[in-house]
Amino acid sequence: MISFINVKCTFRKNAGVKKLNFSIDDGEFVFLTGPSGAGKSTLLRLIYMDLFPEKGKVLIRDYDSSSIKDRDIPLLRRKVGMIFQDYQLLKDRDVYQNVALALYASHYKTREIKSRVYSVLNQVGLGHRVHHKPTELSGGEQQRVAIARALVKEPIVLLADEPTGNLDPRVSVELINLLNKINKKGTAVIVATHNYSLIPRVPGARLIQMNEGEVTSIT
Amino acid sequence: MTILWFLFKEGFKGLIRSKYSGVFSIFIITISIMIVGLGYVAARDTLFMVENIKAQFDVDIFIKQTAANDDIASFEKKLAQMEEIEHLGYISPEDAAVKFKKEFGEDIFDILDYNPLPPSFTIRLKPIYRNLISVEAIANILQSDPIVDEVKYRKNFLIILEKYQRIILFSVLGIFVVLTVISIALTSNSIKMTIFARRDIISTMKLIGATDLFVKTPFVIEGTLEGGIGALLASLIIYSFFYLQNTYLQSFFDYRVVVSYRFYIGLIVLGTFMGLVGSRRAVKKFLD
């Protein structure tokens, strides 16, 4: 489903990735680990085509980074869900509006938006927080909203960049369990993290270790 | 429909959310539209005044004393057929003597024992020919007629009038263009501030798969609304100003402002256009 073929990408001095050659299959759960500056976030950005390789190419199903047109990037991003350490929620909108925004952007009808948003919020355990603003929620709840926003589009892959970076250990475990549950329903999940203690929580997950922009091991 | 309604609502909500920067954009557009509107009316009425002065502008054609009556009659016929002439008047030597007495208080016969005043025609040209080039050309044609002694008109007066007419016209055009450009730039900058303050929305929208058009549209709607509101406010202020002038100050200035509803519609369209162009420019720069 996702293939990195001889990818090199440097977007800042001493930051980026080089010689990436690996694939991720449908429905896989992958942990990306490595120290800061190892290239984990760059790799994720290459998947949702926020960055483009200088050499090689990234393939995501039918989308090819070397030939994709600007107008097709939004279409790709509708198939890729993203979660960030800082949640990236819109603070002036409530939970419902934050999640629904993804569907409005994908031109869904109001009735379908409503049913999908309520369904996904129940799935992440936030059915009772629909009309709260992000500032009224805990960090764990905000990250769940971000997951709901990513999931509501029914993506083929969920990318999480340090999703537990701002959460305490108990909430971090809850979050990984939730991602595992989502993965079991068929969505591929790629989690970039420093938090090695979470890896054993997902039995069977692949581990890709990176350092200085290169993949050092895949297990 | 869902998407259009959503984008319109977003634009409207954006206007409320933008608070100070939105108020600033509206203020800038209000001031600009007020200056453009008042400048337009002032220029229009000044030009109208100049045209009125030009309407009093006559050309005098003096006929040779030796001209026969038949020749004068056929010359009059020729003048009457000229399409450039709006009004034609004949002044016989006797009429000229009466006019002389009226103007100078003395009888020409008492001074000279004879009437030296020649017969003459006074013509008034149609408005489109009341300019130096046309008047000179017509005067030359008339001067070439063998019975014409002299064609006289106030050339310097016409030169000065046309000079001021040009100055007014170009000043108003210049002010209009400069203010429109400044307004668009200021509106665009103030909307850029708004967008910068809400750049998180743009990055989030792009991440969730929104197209550029989807991201842009609410901001453009917001800018267009700001333009429309600014222009509406300016129109209300100008209307109040004219009402005050026509109701309470007319007797002091001896001037009545007459504008139709089309003028106010024009101002609102202009303001809305400024908001639209300004916001499109701002969003485009930000997204690029």
Side-chain angles (χ1 to χ4, degrees):
Chain A
M1 177 185 65
I2 299 172
S3 299
F4 283 76
I5 303 167
N6 219 8
V7 173
K8 181 188 176 193
C9 174
T10 320
F11 69 96
R12 227 177 30 227
K13 205 177 174 186
N14 300 326
V17 292
K18 52 198 167 190
K19 288 188 232 159
L20 293 185
N21 275 298
F22 66 91
S23 294
I24 296 168
D25 291 330
D26 278 338
E28 267 198 281
F29 197 118
V30 177
F31 280 107
L32 277 177
T33 60
S36 293
K40 303 185 295 289
S41 297
T42 306
L43 193 147
L44 295 182
R45 288 175 71 184
L46 283 162
I47 296 175
Y48 65 83
M49 295 199 186
D50 190 33
L51 290 175
F52 289 88
E54 294 149 45
K55 279 189 189 159
K57 58 185 174 182
V58 182
L59 302 175
I60 296 117
R61 291 237 169 124
D62 300 331
Y63 297 97
D64 181 337
S65 66
S66 62
S67 59
I68 192 167
K69 292 190 172 74
D70 280 352
R71 64 166 186 269
D72 290 332
I73 293 172
L75 302 180
L76 162 76
R77 289 183 183 169
R78 288 172 198 174
K79 292 181 179 164
V80 178
M82 281 160 283
I83 308 160
F84 299 91
Q85 184 176 350
D86 60 356
Y87 325 124
Q88 296 208 4
L89 299 175
L90 303 177
K91 292 180 180 62
D92 56 351
R93 289 153 211 245
D94 64 23
V95 167
Y96 178 90
Q97 289 165 332
N98 265 285
V99 177
L101 189 65
L103 297 178
Y104 278 112
S106 304
H107 303 193
Y108 280 82
K109 298 244 180 289
T110 309
R111 193 178 294 173
E112 197 176 351
I113 291 172
K114 213 170 180 179
S115 81
R116 274 185 178 236
V117 172
Y118 279 105
S119 157
V120 79
L121 284 175
N122 284 326
Q123 197 184 331
V124 298
L126 285 176
H128 60 298
R129 297 290 228 172
V130 175
H131 296 299
H132 285 78
K133 293 269 170 68
T135 46
E136 297 163 350
L137 304 176
S138 68
E141 285 174 322
Q142 288 189 55
Q143 195 57 291
R144 280 165 187 266
V145 178
I147 292 173
R149 186 181 62 192
L151 272 187
V152 78
K153 301 179 288 181
E154 295 180 347
I156 53 173
V157 60
L158 197 61
L159 311 176
D161 194 359
E162 301 288 357
T164 58
N166 287 338
L167 305 176
D168 64 47
R170 187 183 57 83
V171 180
S172 298
V173 170
E174 278 175 20
L175 190 91
I176 287 299
N177 289 341
L178 177 63
L179 291 177
N180 196 11
K181 217 165 97 185
I182 291 162
N183 175 250
K184 289 213 162 70
K185 288 184 180 169
T187 308
V189 176
I190 304 173
V191 179
T193 185
H194 279 113
N195 194 341
Y196 291 88
S197 67
L198 296 173
I199 298 167
R201 296 269 165 192
V202 187
R206 258 170 105 196
L207 176 63
I208 298 178
Q209 286 188 292
M210 295 185 72
N211 194 19
E212 291 181 354
E214 289 185 73
V215 172
T216 52
S217 77
I218 301 179
T219 50
Chain B
M1 275 314 283
T2 300
I3 187 88
L4 282 177
W5 177 237
F6 173 78
L7 292 173
F8 187 80
K9 265 200 315 192
E10 280 294 303
F12 194 76
K13 280 183 196 164
L15 181 64
I16 295 161
R17 286 186 194 120
S18 65
K19 289 178 193 162
Y20 300 115
S21 57
V23 170
F24 178 70
S25 299
I26 291 172
F27 174 75
I28 293 293
I29 291 174
T30 304
I31 298 291
S32 307
I33 295 289
M34 270 177 64
I35 296 171
V36 168
L38 291 172
Y40 164 78
V41 172
R44 183 201 65 176
D45 288 1
T46 312
L47 289 175
F48 182 70
M49 215 164 68
V50 171
E51 281 303 321
N52 266 347
I53 296 169
K54 275 183 161 183
Q56 315 294 319
F57 182 81
D58 289 336
V59 176
D60 295 316
I61 308 158
F62 293 98
I63 307 296
K64 287 176 182 162
Q65 294 273 21
T66 53
N69 283 341
D70 286 352
D71 292 339
I72 295 173
S74 65
F75 182 68
E76 185 173 11
K77 211 181 243 176
K78 181 180 153 188
L79 289 178
Q81 282 168 351
M82 283 176 72
E83 63 132 346
E84 297 92 337
I85 295 172
E86 183 181 79
H87 180 261
L88 166 68
Y90 174 66
I91 301 165
S92 66
E94 295 74 30
D95 293 337
V98 171
K99 207 174 161 189
F100 182 89
K101 193 173 181 186
K102 210 186 260 177
E103 282 179 20
F104 298 101
E106 285 188 82
D107 196 330
I108 191 87
F109 291 100
D110 293 342
I111 304 167
L112 296 173
D113 283 338
Y114 75 100
N115 181 4
L117 299 171
S120 67
F121 287 96
T122 299
I123 58 169
R124 185 164 294 168
L125 299 171
K126 286 180 182 166
I128 56 161
Y129 299 108
R130 287 175 200 155
N131 58 70
L132 192 62
I133 296 170
S134 303
V135 172
E136 271 183 336
I138 292 163
N140 285 339
I141 293 168
L142 297 173
Q143 186 70 64
S144 64
D145 196 289
I147 73 159
V148 173
D149 185 29
E150 195 180 10
V151 178
K152 274 192 163 178
Y153 58 92
R154 287 185 291 169
K155 189 175 176 177
N156 286 340
F157 176 65
L158 202 58
I159 289 172
I160 291 168
L161 266 187
E162 287 197 352
K163 185 180 156 195
Y164 284 112
Q165 200 173 16
R166 264 198 307 274
I167 290 173
I168 295 166
L169 202 66
F170 286 122
S171 305
V172 169
L173 262 176
I175 289 170
F176 179 81
V177 170
V178 168
L179 275 177
T180 305
V181 170
I182 289 175
S183 299
I184 288 174
L186 284 172
T187 311
S188 164
N189 272 342
S190 102
I191 292 169
K192 232 184 275 172
M193 275 160 50
T194 311
I195 296 171
F196 186 74
R198 285 189 276 150
R199 59 194 180 283
D200 57 330
I201 297 179
I202 291 179
S203 67
T204 302
M205 279 187 166
K206 289 186 103 174
L207 285 178
I208 58 174
T211 57
D212 278 359
L213 187 68
F214 185 90
V215 177
K216 263 187 234 173
T217 307
F219 289 106
V220 173
I221 291 173
E222 184 181 331
T224 309
L225 282 171
E226 283 171 359
I229 293 170
L232 189 70
L233 281 175
S235 299
L236 284 172
I237 294 168
I238 292 174
Y239 177 82
S240 312
F241 185 71
F242 290 165
Y243 179 79
L244 192 74
Q245 160 65 27
N246 291 345
T247 313
Y248 301 105
L249 303 173
Q250 196 186 347
S251 53
F252 293 106
F253 298 114
D254 193 23
Y255 169 63
R256 183 175 173 79
V257 191
V258 182
V259 286
S260 78
Y261 69 93
R262 284 194 205 96
F263 166 74
Y264 297 107
I265 291 175
L267 291 184
I268 293 168
V269 169
L270 180 68
T272 309
F273 174 75
M274 282 177 178
L276 175 77
V277 175
S279 54
R280 269 183 64 99
R281 197 168 153 260
V283 184
K284 193 172 179 293
K285 270 195 179 174
F286 202 87
L287 281 176
D288 290 348

